[in-house]
Every structure is written in C-alpha cells, then in structure tokens.
Amino acid sequence: MVYGLTGGTGSGKTTVANYLTEMGYTVIDADVIARSLTDPGSNVLQLLAETFGEEILAEDGSLIRKRLGDIVFNNKEKLQQLNDIMGPSMDKAFLKALNDAVLERPYSKVFFDAPTLYESGREYMVDKVWVVAAGLETRIKRIMDRDGLSREQVLARMANQLPEEEKIRRADVVIYNDGTLEDLRRAVEKALK
Ligand code: ATP
C-alpha cells in the first residue's frame, strides 16, 4: 500500500514523516525529488530557465528557488506552467523510488510526503491519503516560529494552498495535531493500526 501524506503548512507533516522514518517505513519526499530534478545542468532546470527567464539561475547555474517561488506565487498560469514542466519528471522519479522501496521491503507500507498532493492532482498516484491537520492559529504560530515569518507572510502562503477543510473532506485518514508531540506520535501509531 502506498499512502500519500499531506496537509497545510504548519500542520506537522514533516514531523509525522520523521516519526514514520524512525519507525522503519520508507518515506518518499516530494521536495527532495523536486530538488534532485533541478540540479545544475539538468534538462528540467534548463526548461525552467527557458520558460521563466535566466534570472532564476545563480552564477554557478543552480536554481534560486526563492526567485522561482516569487514568480509563480499567486499566478495560476505560471504555477500551471511550472507543474507542467515538473510533473512528468516528478511522476517518473516517484515511481522509480517506489519501485526501489518495494524491492527492498516488499510488504511494508510506503509513504509519499507530498505537501501539494491535492493541489497538483497527484492523489491518483497513491492508494490512500493521510491528511495532517491542526487549528489555524496553531499552524500560523508554528510557522511564524519555525521560519521567522510575520503573520501576514504565513497567511499569504496559506492562501496559495487548498483550504484545510477541503483536504480533510477528501482524506482517508485525518491525523489531528493540536496537542503535544507525544500526542502526535500516539495518533500516528493509531493510524498505522
Ligand atoms: P510545511 O508544509 O510548512 O513544511 P509541516 O506541515 O511539514 O509544514 P512541520 O515542519 O512538521 O509542519 O511542523 C511545523 C513546526 O511545528 C515545526 O517546527 C515542528 O517542530 C512544530 N510542531 C509540529 N507539531 C507540533 C506539536 N504537536 N507540538 C509542538 N510543535 C509542533
């Protein structure tokens, strides 16, 4: 079984992914895949530079992720272009990682940590979806503390994501993360059972 792991910013996905890794499960990280696809000299990065301009590249040819992020932020058309470029390579890399995981541990659950699983229309890639959720104020505070952002910056980031209620509605399993880290660990163990 392949489980998608998703949720809004500050919900605690990465924390859940870390627990699952500690417990011995394979967690395929969509952000790690995206980064590896945009290594200097890669075809994907070249296509991104042709589409969004050379200004997304640093002098050493590496991607300035923040600049690309600023270009697609709040721009549906550009975000779509980015997804069209990244999508096929992401799918291929995900399937390869999944294949490796299954060969290594044939009967284990595999998790796909994908913050934008729903937004990118990738839920068909997994069998079931776990959504990590937490109250809005809790999430805002966590991200302000973690990333040193203002409340407005966190809200702007959230505005680009599918609302949490929508994710909860579409989830197979919801892990509520409003308590302590110990509560979260117990919720993960319960979800696994
Ligand atoms: P993003 O999508 O923005 O990366 P995320 O959903 O992956 O967010 P995490 O990075 O797991 O969220 O959590 C955000 C912050 O909140 C982290 O600093 C994490 O340590 C902290 N955190 C998560 N859950 C709890 C909790 N139950 N109690 C206290 N702190 C928590």
Side-chain angles (χ1 to χ4, degrees):
M1 288 287 276
V2 186
Y3 295 82
L5 182 62
T6 194
T9 185
S11 60
K13 288 175 301 297
T14 310
T15 312
V16 170
N18 291 342
Y19 288 163
L20 290 165
T21 305
E22 276 170 35
M23 290 171 191
Y25 294 99
T26 300
V27 180
I28 299 168
D29 186 326
D31 285 340
V32 171
I33 293 182
R35 275 169 207 273
S36 70
L37 290 174
T38 50
D39 277 343
S42 63
N43 291 341
V44 171
L45 186 54
Q46 194 182 333
L47 206 51
L48 290 176
E50 280 165 20
T51 308
F52 298 108
E54 296 284 322
E55 70 261 28
I56 63 167
L57 299 180
E59 274 187 13
D60 63 0
S62 63
L63 173 64
I64 307 174
R65 303 179 69 82
K66 161 102 180 60
R67 230 170 254 175
L68 178 59
D70 287 345
I71 292 173
V72 301
F73 198 69
N74 276 331
N75 187 326
K76 281 215 163 80
E77 203 179 308
K78 295 222 148 106
L79 187 60
Q80 186 62 48
Q81 276 182 305
L82 176 62
N83 283 334
D84 289 346
I85 293 170
M86 298 289 295
S89 304
M90 286 288 298
D91 290 355
K92 217 166 131 191
F94 166 69
L95 290 172
K96 186 181 176 313
L98 181 59
N99 196 47
D100 292 347
V102 172
L103 286 176
E104 201 178 322
R105 274 176 285 192
Y107 301 107
S108 180
K109 296 179 175 69
V110 177
F111 291 86
F112 182 37
D113 177 358
T116 59
L117 185 78
Y118 288 127
E119 286 87 344
S120 63
R122 287 292 185 286
E123 58 201 283
Y124 71 90
M125 308 277 294
V126 297
D127 298 306
K128 300 267 179 200
V129 180
W130 284 17
V131 165
V132 187
L136 185 65
E137 286 307 319
T138 308
R139 289 169 54 210
I140 294 172
K141 184 167 182 320
R142 281 181 191 153
I143 298 307
M144 286 173 66
D145 291 349
R146 190 194 65 185
D147 295 349
L149 297 178
S150 70
R151 188 182 171 81
E152 287 63 38
Q153 285 170 315
V154 178
L155 288 172
R157 194 182 278 190
M158 287 176 164
N160 253 8
Q161 303 183 338
L162 203 65
E164 184 165 80
E165 312 81 71
E166 173 77 14
K167 289 181 179 153
I168 290 175
R169 200 178 58 71
R170 288 162 69 169
D172 295 294
V173 171
V174 184
I175 296 184
Y176 290 98
N177 178 25
D178 293 290
T180 64
L181 288 169
E182 206 33 59
D183 292 335
L184 179 61
R185 189 185 283 275
R186 273 196 292 271
V188 172
E189 281 162 1
K190 190 165 163 232
L192 282 166
K193 275 190 198 140

